[in-house]
């Protein structure tokens, strides 16, 4: 095969953020926003990346130079994904990669993990290397850690496995939940979150009051375990209540913002089953679980306090080979 096109979904954290970094479980769902990348074999020993991001345009690097020198942030995940792949599966030829669509980076939908997963999945397909989902996860997670040093890998798992997952850090547990029917309203706060800064903030809290924070994380873990059952039972009222409690702990940790709180309150007042921030906090999105009848009312309430509604469907398929040619 000379050329292959793959797509991988973004994600939304349902419950358990931050606690998951400290060994507790979380719930994540893949969403219908997908990144599409096409990868082609080159005769020369070269990486060429063509992105939709005009600042970079076309990026070229000799394979022998991968991982060295200043790497523009737009291509960091692509380059290190290839670097890690070649370290494990040495191949003489080069590759050209092209992103085929714009995937929004501002909402916190997991663009970096989707890119990484697309690249390594495409390479394994092109070079006939049969990777299990877990092997793919390990290689992609290593790449993400190489770039950003920390993170549980929940976003990588969502991009690979898809659907809704019960997940523990580093992929020690990845369990696909058979669920149909969660309806979420997603509201963007207008502020891009800095995930690493928020993780550092929580780490500081942990250093200054370990017993208290560990206790909160244990309580969040119980909420996540109950929420898993609620999802399997399709008990959306229960799921909403558990999300509300999870939000209280996140507020205590100091990762929510006034804007997120207003949107969450608005959603609850409009009759959502429950609402919370999604992801690291400090910005990005909030989510509300709703019934089909109440979706519009809750969306209007979020908009009325300045939130932007992002049309999203959950429970999407994981990484997919769209096409390939020889
Ligand atoms: O900011 P996001 O949407 O990537 O979510 C981060 C979630 C954390 O639990 C804070 C970090 C992680 O890697 O699990």
């Amino acid at each position: 095969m000379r050329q292959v096109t793959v797509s991988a979904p973004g994600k939304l954290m349902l419950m358990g953020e931050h606690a998951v970094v400290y060994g507790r479980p979380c719930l994540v769902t893949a969403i219908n926003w997908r990144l599409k990348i096409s990868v082609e074999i080159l005769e020369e020993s070269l990486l060429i990346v063509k992105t939709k991001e005009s600042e970079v345009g076309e990026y070229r690097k000799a394979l022998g130079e991968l991982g060295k020198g200043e790497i523009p942030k737009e291509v960091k995940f692509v380059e290190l994904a290839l670097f890690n792949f070649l370290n494990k599966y040495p191949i003489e030829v080069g590759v050209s990669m092209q992103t085929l669509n714009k995937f929004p980076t501002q909402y916190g939908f997991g663009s970096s993990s989707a890119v990484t997963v697309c690249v390594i999945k495409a390479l394994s397909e092109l070079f006939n290397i049969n990777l299990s989902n877990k092997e793919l996860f390990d290689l992609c997670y290593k790449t993400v850690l190489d770039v950003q040093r920390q993170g549980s890998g929940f976003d990588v798992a969502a991009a690979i496995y898809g659907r809704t997952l019960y997940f523990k850090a580093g992929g020690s547990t990845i369990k696909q939940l058979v669920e149909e029917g969660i309806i979420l309203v997603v509201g963007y706060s207008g502020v891009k979150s800095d995930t690493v800064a928020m993780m550092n903030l929580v780490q500081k809290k942990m250093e200054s009051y370990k017993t208290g924070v560990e206790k909160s994380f244990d309580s969040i873990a119980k909420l996540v375990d109950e929420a898993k059952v609620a999802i399997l039972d399709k008990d959306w009222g229960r799921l909403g209540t558990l999300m509300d409690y999870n939000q209280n702990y996140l507020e205590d940790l100091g990762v929510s913002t006034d804007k997120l709180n207003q949107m969450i309150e608005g959603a609850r007042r409009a009759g959502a089953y429950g609402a919370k921030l999604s992801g690291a906090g400090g910005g990005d999105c909030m989510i509300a679980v709703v019934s089909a009848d109440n979706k519009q009312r809750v969306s209007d309430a979020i908009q009325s306090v300045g939130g932007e509604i992002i049309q999203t469907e959950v429970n999407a398929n994981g990484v997919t080979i769209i096409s390939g040619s020889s």
Side-chain angles (χ1 to χ4, degrees):
M1 198 178 285
R2 306 280 318 160
Q3 190 267 342
V4 67
T5 302
V6 299
S7 81
K11 55 77 191 160
L12 276 171
M13 178 69 97
L14 294 178
M15 284 179 66
E17 48 274 270
H18 290 291
V20 67
V21 178
Y22 296 84
R24 276 60 165 201
C26 74
L27 290 163
V28 55
T29 190
I31 60 174
N32 62 340
W33 292 70
R34 301 185 77 85
L35 178 77
K36 240 194 257 176
I37 290 190
S38 151
V39 181
E40 200 178 327
I41 295 182
L42 296 174
E43 297 305 330
E44 310 153 87
S45 177
L46 200 63
L47 163 67
I48 299 178
V49 186
K50 296 169 192 158
T51 69
K52 289 266 164 191
E53 268 53 72
S54 52
E55 311 94 76
V56 178
E58 192 174 293
Y59 175 76
R60 290 171 165 253
K61 201 151 184 187
L63 292 192
E65 293 300 308
L66 291 182
K68 295 181 195 160
E70 241 338 90
I71 307 171
K73 69 177 187 332
E74 293 83 354
V75 293
K76 230 173 199 168
F77 288 91
V78 171
E79 180 166 333
L80 290 184
L82 177 62
F83 180 69
N84 283 332
F85 183 86
L86 294 182
N87 268 345
K88 200 151 189 214
Y89 308 104
I91 281 147
E92 295 303 313
V93 291
V95 281
S96 166
M97 310 195 186
Q98 181 158 21
T99 51
L100 299 178
N101 62 341
K102 273 204 169 186
F103 186 99
T105 51
Q106 73 270 37
Y107 303 133
F109 286 167
S111 50
S112 312
S113 42
V115 168
T116 308
V117 167
C118 278
V119 167
I120 297 187
K121 180 72 181 179
L123 291 170
S124 66
E125 190 69 17
L126 272 178
F127 297 111
N128 285 322
I129 291 160
N130 205 356
L131 290 182
S132 68
N133 275 347
K134 187 59 178 37
E135 286 167 329
L136 179 61
F137 175 87
D138 289 341
L139 209 46
C140 293
Y141 182 45
K142 179 187 180 328
T143 302
V144 169
L145 287 182
D146 286 346
V147 178
Q148 60 190 35
R149 303 276 154 228
Q150 43 192 339
S152 65
F154 78 105
D155 41 5
V156 175
I160 294 172
Y161 293 78
R163 319 307 290 180
T164 297
L165 304 174
Y166 177 86
F167 175 88
K168 281 193 184 161
S172 59
T173 304
I174 305 176
K175 192 172 166 4
Q176 215 168 32
L177 305 185
V178 182
E179 83 86 9
E180 291 294 331
I182 293 188
I183 305 176
L184 287 187
V185 174
V186 180
Y188 177 54
S189 66
V191 178
K192 168 107 196 75
S193 164
D194 181 341
T195 301
V196 172
M198 298 316 287
M199 287 169 76
N200 289 340
L201 187 145
V202 171
Q203 196 190 335
K204 285 234 162 67
K205 286 232 153 171
M206 188 58 116
E207 280 159 15
S208 66
Y209 185 39
K210 189 165 191 297
T211 325
V213 178
E214 289 284 2
K215 243 190 185 161
S216 297
F217 285 164
D218 284 341
S219 304
I220 291 173
K222 286 200 183 107
L223 295 174
V224 167
D225 281 336
E226 276 195 53
K228 176 178 151 208
V229 177
I231 288 173
L232 294 172
D233 289 348
K234 299 187 198 304
D235 187 347
W236 311 130
R238 182 84 192 138
L239 178 63
T241 304
L242 296 164
M243 279 189 175
D244 284 346
Y245 277 100
N246 192 164
Q247 172 64 18
N248 292 343
Y249 286 108
L250 292 168
E251 284 175 32
D252 279 355
L253 277 174
V255 298
S256 202
T257 64
D258 289 346
K259 183 69 179 286
L260 285 167
N261 292 347
Q262 282 164 17
M263 294 159 74
I264 290 164
E265 261 317 301
R268 288 177 186 158
R269 270 202 305 274
Y273 291 126
K276 64 183 278 294
L277 66 83
S278 173
D284 283 354
C285 292
M286 51 73 67
I287 51 174
V289 198
V290 297
S291 65
D293 293 347
N294 212 13
K295 191 171 176 183
Q296 194 54 52
R297 207 173 117 85
V298 172
S299 303
D300 292 346
I302 293 170
Q303 269 171 326
S304 75
V305 293
E308 181 191 341
I309 299 300
I310 315 291
Q311 297 303 335
T312 322
E313 273 164 41
V314 301
N315 218 19
N317 287 330
V319 64
T320 307
I321 310 283
I322 303 174
S323 65
S325 64
S326 301

